[in-house]
Amino acid sequence: MSEERFGEFVLVRRHERGHVAELVLDRPKAMNAVSTEMARSIAGACAALGEDRGVRVVVLTSSHERAFCVGADLKERNSFSDADLVRQRPVARAAYTGVLELPVPTVAAVHGFALGGGCELALSCDVIVADRTAVMGLPEVSVGVIPGGGGTQLLPRRVGAARAAELIFTARRVEAAEARELGLVDELVEEGRDREEALAMASRIAANSPVGLRAAKRALRLGHGLDLAAGLEVEDAAWRSVAFSGDRAEGVAAFNEKRRPEWPGE
């Protein structure tokens, strides 16, 4: 396993010969509250991971024992002028879109508090694994703003428009069991096992074709919300991008030869 630090508050660990990248939120003294500096580091780490063709899966984790991420750094925000807030907005937004636009499958490992921007970072991932200590919510209207890291768009895509409206308008917190029932969490695991189970899932994902994984994610993302005919065209374009690839040839050969594929990744 190798490690690379992006600024003071973000760490990237590489597992599985570099195919699984763990993006660690590492500002424990502030329960991973996202400051301007931390946001810039998240965006930088995501840019580097997105360009690395060896990465097949990214797992988003936390170094804090009791929190995934408590959202924006409101202590920092309290000192901002209006001009400061305007200048910070693209930096903050780049952190959330950085995770959202990663071209490979992403898995969030959530325990403890995942509130506001922390919840939005999890929502930006394709799959959310949470342990029984998880508490999630978008409380932004209680402090005079709205979810601005994708929450108003990503939450209804997971739980439906009416339920998302209720959660956002009331600013209430959702504990792990209810989050699983609502579909806000995909896999609920025992306390303390969120990271382990998320990495295990990532390992299973990473065993598959890197070309296929990227194309499947592209089809899922681009096709969402389209009518069926348009969605099928998106799928067909993604299929054509892999059908004549080295990965496809290797996958079919390995199946017929009853062996594990050695993916060329092209």
Side-chain angles (χ1 to χ4, degrees):
M1 182 175 67
S2 64
E3 294 187 351
E4 180 180 5
R5 187 162 286 279
F6 290 80
E8 185 179 355
F9 304 130
V10 174
L11 177 68
V12 171
R13 296 192 184 107
R14 295 174 185 269
H15 308 259
E16 304 276 340
R17 294 180 296 174
H19 297 324
V20 175
E22 181 184 359
L23 197 165
V24 186
L25 305 176
D26 189 30
R27 195 186 178 202
K29 290 182 180 179
M31 300 180 81
N32 290 330
V34 182
S35 64
T36 304
E37 180 184 349
M38 186 173 178
R40 191 173 286 114
S41 295
I42 292 170
C46 288
L49 291 171
E51 293 172 0
D52 187 340
R53 298 296 298 186
V55 173
R56 299 179 187 177
V57 193
V58 173
V59 180
L60 185 60
T61 69
S62 162
S63 65
H64 195 284
E65 292 182 355
R66 296 186 295 108
F68 175 72
C69 172
V70 295
D73 186 341
L74 296 185
K75 290 183 179 179
E76 179 189 59
R77 292 276 181 93
N78 192 47
S79 69
F80 277 6
S81 66
D82 288 351
D84 292 332
L85 191 58
V86 169
R87 282 192 293 269
Q88 193 220 30
R89 176 58 178 166
V91 178
R93 191 175 181 189
Y96 301 102
T97 56
V99 176
L100 184 64
E101 293 176 0
L102 281 165
V104 297
T106 50
V107 183
V110 176
H111 60 265
F113 298 112
L115 302 174
C119 186
E120 290 172 308
L121 285 171
L123 288 170
S124 296
C125 293
D126 299 304
V127 181
I128 300 176
V129 176
D131 80 359
R132 296 189 180 278
T133 70
V135 179
M136 304 180 75
L138 295 173
E140 282 86 349
V141 297
S142 70
V143 293
V145 290
I146 70 166
T152 65
Q153 305 306 304
L154 296 171
L155 186 60
R157 284 168 165 78
R158 273 191 164 270
V159 304
R163 181 58 68 197
E166 183 264 321
L167 292 174
I168 290 171
F169 295 160
T170 63
R172 73 181 179 90
R173 298 178 178 187
V174 179
E175 295 190 0
E178 183 185 4
R180 178 67 182 88
E181 290 175 4
L182 294 176
L184 181 52
V185 164
D186 301 302
E187 187 169 332
L188 185 59
V189 300
E190 293 303 314
E191 181 176 344
R193 291 185 57 84
D194 54 293
R195 176 178 177 269
E196 181 181 350
E197 295 294 342
L199 286 170
M201 180 185 293
S203 181
R204 294 193 295 272
I205 294 170
N208 297 311
S209 159
V211 171
L213 290 172
R214 286 174 179 250
K217 177 161 181 172
R218 190 164 64 249
L220 284 163
R221 286 289 176 89
L222 294 179
H224 188 92
L226 300 179
D227 63 54
L228 180 58
L232 290 173
E233 290 303 314
V234 168
E235 181 182 83
D236 186 65
W239 179 86
R240 290 175 185 277
S241 75
V242 301
F244 310 104
S245 68
D247 273 15
R248 196 277 307 173
E250 168 62 9
V252 172
F255 177 84
N256 284 288
E257 295 166 15
K258 297 181 172 57
R259 60 173 175 81
R260 295 182 64 177
E262 294 291 336
W263 304 114
E266 58 185 22

